[in-house]
Amino acid sequence: MRAISGLWRWRRNPLCRATDLAEAWVALAALVLILLAAPMAGSLVGGAAQDALQRSVREQHEARHLVTATVVRKLDRSPLDADPETSTGRDLRTRVLADWTAPDGTAQHGPVLAGLKDPQQGDEFRIWTDGHGRMVARPLDSATASTHAVLAGVGAALAAGGLIEGGRRLIVWRMVRRRYARWDQAWDKAGPDWGRTGTGS
C-alpha cells in the first residue's frame, strides 16, 4: 500500500523525475509478482513433488518386503569402523551373518546389519528386501514424502521471490547507471565554464 500511495504522490509532483517514477513502478511490479508468482511457483512445484514422491512411496511399498532373518553368528566389526569413538547412530546396529527367506521363496544367506544389542545364534530380527531377497533400504513413508514436497514448494517460492527481487535490483542499478552517465555528460558540457560571468550567453 505504501508503494501505491508513493506512486500516487509522485504522479503530479514537480520534483519527480521520470526515473523516480520508473523506479517506483518497477518496485510495485516486483512486489505484485512476489505476492502472486512466488506462491504460485511454490504451489506448482510442491504439488508436482508431492505427486512424484507419493507415487514413489507406493512403488517402494509394492516392491519392498519386510522379512524375518535369523542370526547365524556375529561378525567382526568392519576395519573401517575400528574406532568406537567415531561411531554414529547407524553403528548401533551389529553386523551378523544371517539366513532369511525371500518373498519369492528362495533361501538367502549373507552379512547384514541387525538392530540387536547382543545378537546370539537363533535370534530373529526384521529386514527389508526386494522380491528376490536382496537387501534394500527401508521404503519411504508417506509423511516423510509430504514433508519433502512442502520443503520443495517453500524452496521454489523463495527462489522465485529471490529471482524477482534480483531482477528488480538489476533494473534499478542499470537505471541509476544511466542517470549518472547523463549527469556526467551534462557536467562535461557545463564544467569548463562553471562560475564564469556570461556563461551560456
Side-chain angles (χ1 to χ4, degrees), residues 9-169:
R9 199 169 47 247
W10 272 114
R11 219 166 115 265
R12 298 185 195 271
N13 190 327
L15 298 177
C16 176
R17 298 168 297 194
T19 55
D20 294 329
L21 197 55
E23 284 179 28
W25 277 111
V26 168
L28 180 63
L31 176 66
V32 170
L33 281 174
I34 286 172
L35 292 176
L36 297 178
M40 186 179 297
S43 176
L44 290 173
V45 169
Q50 173 76 347
D51 292 343
L53 288 170
Q54 292 300 336
R55 187 168 47 252
S56 179
V57 166
R58 286 191 299 274
E59 289 169 0
Q60 287 182 15
H61 278 277
E62 288 170 7
R64 299 177 187 188
H65 307 279
L66 194 59
V67 299
T68 302
T70 305
V71 175
V72 174
R73 67 181 167 88
K74 184 176 177 179
L75 296 175
D76 294 332
R77 290 178 63 85
S78 167
L80 297 176
D81 296 333
D83 185 5
E85 297 293 322
T86 62
S87 65
T88 63
R90 173 177 70 88
D91 298 326
L92 297 176
R93 298 167 58 132
T94 310
R95 289 183 73 238
V96 298
L97 191 64
D99 292 326
W100 66 93
T101 303
D104 64 3
T106 58
Q108 301 291 324
H109 179 79
V112 296
L113 289 174
L116 302 171
K117 187 175 181 181
D118 184 28
Q120 301 295 326
Q121 183 177 3
D123 288 348
E124 294 184 343
F125 60 98
R126 308 279 271 165
I127 59 172
W128 287 97
T129 69
D130 63 10
H132 301 294
R134 291 185 293 262
M135 293 278 297
V136 292
R138 178 190 190 113
L140 184 66
D141 62 89
S142 184
T144 304
S146 295
T147 302
H148 288 310
V150 168
L151 291 174
V154 169
L158 291 174
L163 283 173
I164 293 166
E165 175 60 14
R168 183 197 71 80
R169 287 175 183 249

